[in-house]
Amino acid sequence: MTELLSNYAAGRWQAGTGNGTPLFDPVLGNELVRVDSTGLDLDETFAFARQQGGAALRALTYRERAALLAAIVNVLQANRDAYYEIATANAGTVKNDSAVDIDGAIFTLGQYAKWGDALGDTRALRDGEAVKLGKEPVFQSQHLQVPREGVALFINAFNFPAWGLWEKAAPALLSGMPVIVKPATATAWLTQRMVRDVVDAGVLPVGALSVIAGSSAGLMDQLQPFDVVSFTGSAETAGAIRAHPAVTHRSVRCGIEADSLNSAVLLPGEAPGSEAFNLLVREVVREMTVKSGQKCTAIRRILVPAEVYDAAAEAIGAKLAGVTVGNPRNDSVRMGSLVSRAQLASVREGLAMLSAHTRVLHDGRDRPLVDADPALAACIGPVLLGARDADTAQLVHDVEVFGPVATLLPYRDSAHAVVLTQRGRGSLVTSLYGRDEAALTRITLAVAGSHGRVHVVTPDVGRAHSGHGNVMPMSQHGGPGRAGGGAELGGLRALDFYHQRSAVQASPTVLAALGLPDLA
Ligand code: NAP
């Protein structure tokens, strides 16, 4: 039997009492570890986190809590090699792709440590300036933000076991809220290991961080009015979270990061071979292949002027042809596997669905895998689809194939391109490629209302831009509509979710005595 990973709940390590659900190596097919949360006392777990963890965190200032984040960074840095090994084994990712998750997590924590330190030794934050409530300024209103006195429950997706925890935990812990994370079962090992290292290092107050690796059963039932739940995953599960009485009846604050049909747009007038054209091609290939396309921000729809459709298909296909797929332990492999055979089946199912409205422009499925048995490995080569009529190819705007798959679509003019981006019904990100700054500005403003992020690539930032799909802690992550309506990161804006805003109405003397710093 493989190792049964423990849960950290109510301040102690506890093994589940069931047989456990096995986690597999998606390339070799062997069982790695098991997870199980059967028999955990969830009443005790949540109460302990709220009472012990929450009280201890709120007793600290922002600067002191920022120092905790910096201490977590040190722990994670010290154990980084182990995380890479787990990622290779359990997620099937090549080193560069594991880095997006692991080093992305460490970088994000480090940023919040810095930003938090700058907030200083205070326990509440100013929200705007004081305004007078009458003719004379003797009685005023000052909004402030204080930490919510509950627990932050994270229910996370399988594709970012490291970053998915820490991009949420950094602002939550900085805000003074204790965290309970329930990672997706398929890749729970890395999350559990990181929590284990941080707990064992003793850098956080007891109860500030708990991990439940196993079933989600009963977690939502625990939530009380001052708690928050942050969910990342499919639109379907998001629906169940939103409909739970904790959210509908107890007003538990709920953040949802769901799936998204992100797009990339080559601006009109950009000929094949132009800098903007080449930048789009490079970015599309990167987005299709990083983490085998298992990124919520990945480019799914590529919008190009109709007259360059064929040239774009050829250029993207030519680059995809050079992508080697297989065992991430082989240095010649550029793209590892999907996370599981179940995910492989889901990608194949998605491709079969899209075949009703598209044709295959590049097929990486017929290339041999490197060092991997196709009967065992969850590997699939990249597939570029195309539809010459972007308006009628409805499925392309509906179906998220969570793998190395994207569809090329032609548009007539920039107004048509804007409408097509919006057919995603709200997306995390769109990226625009072109030289014409006036046109870029117009389109940016036209698409900003339906996208959480607009990534504009002009030739002068060709080397410097941070990447269409890379989520940077400085910028908001989350989009309207189908993308879930969430808003994470964006610097200190992320703290809003974990704070309660309150309007204090009092004399200027009392307001001044609150000693509030600015929330930039
Ligand atoms: P999922 O199947 O919806 O699962 C997400 C999480 O919800 C897992 O931890 C899962 O636990 C848990 N869960 C399942 N049923 C639940 C229920 N009834 N109540 C409470 N929790 C429940 O999604 P996934 O397959 O892991 O992730 C892939 C999807 O996530 C893709 O669609 C992708 O676009 C999206 N995603 C979005 C973002 C973003 O930031 N917008 C980021 C990453 C991924 P188990 O694993 O134990 O079932």
Side-chain angles (χ1 to χ4, degrees):
M1 284 270 244
T2 53
E3 181 189 350
L4 180 64
L5 300 181
S6 281
N7 307 286
Y8 188 69
R12 58 187 192 281
W13 289 102
Q14 306 185 45
T17 53
N19 288 333
T21 305
L23 274 53
F24 294 96
D25 182 318
V27 177
L28 306 177
N30 57 302
E31 186 178 320
L32 298 165
V33 290
R34 289 167 301 132
V35 294
D36 184 47
S37 57
T38 316
L40 283 189
D41 183 339
L42 294 181
D43 286 343
E44 183 198 20
T45 301
F46 278 71
F48 186 91
R50 266 184 219 110
Q51 286 155 23
Q52 308 272 330
L57 286 170
R58 287 195 306 277
L60 303 175
T61 65
Y62 289 91
R63 177 165 287 153
E64 287 167 336
R65 294 194 290 261
L68 299 182
L69 301 186
I72 295 174
V73 167
N74 292 337
V75 174
L76 299 185
Q77 287 283 15
N79 293 283
R80 209 167 144 261
D81 291 349
Y83 306 149
Y84 272 85
E85 275 172 34
I86 292 174
T88 305
N90 190 203
T93 39
V94 295
K95 206 166 179 208
N96 281 346
D97 293 356
S98 303
V100 178
D101 190 28
I102 296 165
D103 292 330
I106 295 172
F107 175 69
T108 303
L109 272 162
Q111 282 296 324
Y112 278 95
K114 260 190 232 156
W115 292 327
D117 185 67
L119 291 174
D121 284 312
T122 178
R123 291 183 181 80
L125 299 171
R126 178 192 300 279
D127 185 345
E129 294 304 316
V131 284
K132 58 184 183 175
L133 292 172
K135 264 192 175 164
E136 301 302 324
V138 291
F139 193 60
Q140 302 189 357
S141 172
Q142 170 68 61
H143 289 87
L144 55 74
Q145 301 248 35
V146 291
R148 279 174 84 96
E149 296 188 15
V151 73
L153 171 65
F154 301 159
I155 301 178
N156 281 357
F158 69 77
N159 56 337
F160 280 102
W163 177 83
L165 163 61
W166 297 112
E167 61 105 9
K168 298 180 189 203
L173 294 170
L174 180 58
S175 299
M177 282 197 90
V179 166
I180 297 176
V181 60
K182 184 268 180 265
T185 297
T187 55
W189 189 10
L190 181 52
T191 310
Q192 191 269 1
R193 173 61 194 263
M194 287 179 143
V195 173
R196 197 186 91 186
D197 290 339
V198 170
V199 168
D200 288 355
V203 294
L204 286 178
V206 179
L209 181 61
S210 310
V211 60
I212 296 178
S215 164
S216 59
L219 296 179
M220 290 294 295
D221 299 332
Q222 287 295 326
L223 295 176
Q224 295 298 325
F226 302 150
D227 297 335
V228 302
V229 57
S230 176
F231 170 81
T232 302
S234 63
E236 197 184 336
T237 315
I241 302 283
R242 273 198 199 94
H244 192 280
V247 178
T248 57
H249 288 70
R250 298 198 287 279
S251 303
V252 167
R253 193 176 280 174
C254 173
I256 303 274
E257 298 292 346
D259 54 27
S260 175
L261 273 299
N262 313 296
S263 50
V265 184
L266 180 67
L267 258 65
E270 294 296 349
S274 67
E275 276 186 89
F277 181 94
N278 293 343
L279 285 166
L280 169 113
V281 169
R282 195 173 76 188
E283 200 60 12
V284 164
V285 171
R286 185 157 62 186
E287 284 298 310
M288 286 179 71
T289 53
V290 168
K291 288 179 75 72
S292 299
Q294 299 168 108
K295 279 189 358 222
C296 51
T297 50
I299 297 169
R300 305 289 177 204
R301 300 174 300 149
I302 310 149
L303 308 178
V304 296
E307 59 275 18
V308 304
Y309 179 87
D310 291 322
E314 199 177 313
I316 297 167
K319 273 204 186 300
L320 288 176
V323 175
T324 43
V325 183
N327 190 332
R329 297 162 184 91
N330 185 314
D331 287 341
S332 72
V333 167
R334 158 118 174 252
M335 190 172 95
S337 75
L338 296 168
V339 77
S340 63
R341 291 291 289 192
Q343 197 54 32
L344 178 62
S346 154
V347 167
R348 286 179 173 153
E349 203 180 303
L351 280 166
M353 280 175 84
L354 289 187
S355 69
H357 286 171
T358 61
R359 70 186 193 87
V360 176
L361 301 177
H362 170 85
D363 200 343
R365 287 172 295 186
D366 45 22
R367 294 272 307 279
L369 301 179
V370 178
D371 256 4
D373 177 355
L376 285 178
C379 293
I380 184 169
V383 181
L384 178 68
L385 303 172
R388 286 212 182 255
D389 186 344
D391 293 317
T392 57
Q394 180 55 39
L395 288 174
V396 167
H397 307 289
D398 270 351
V399 177
E400 181 202 44
V401 182
F402 208 57
V405 179
T407 305
L408 185 66
L409 299 165
Y411 68 79
R412 292 183 296 276
D413 51 32
S414 53
H416 188 212
V418 169
V419 168
L420 290 174
T421 66
Q422 292 166 339
R423 287 279 290 276
R425 287 173 289 134
S427 304
L428 293 171
V429 52
T430 185
S431 50
L432 314 176
Y433 304 79
R435 281 162 306 170
D436 180 345
E437 285 174 8
L440 286 165
T441 313
R442 263 196 321 276
I443 298 179
T444 296
L445 294 176
V447 298
S450 48
H451 293 81
R453 181 159 61 85
V454 183
H455 185 79
V456 183
V457 181
T458 43
D460 57 323
V461 299
R463 286 185 183 280
H465 78 94
S466 49
H468 162 106
N470 276 348
V471 177
M472 303 297 285
M474 304 80 177
S475 294
Q476 168 180 272
H477 173 60
R482 170 162 186 166
E488 294 180 340
L489 301 171
L492 288 174
R493 288 175 189 84
L495 272 59
D496 282 0
F497 187 67
Y498 305 99
H499 279 74
Q500 179 59 45
R501 179 182 297 123
S502 188
V504 182
Q505 300 175 322
S507 73
T509 329
V510 170
L511 294 181
L514 293 170
L516 301 170
D518 287 323
L519 181 57

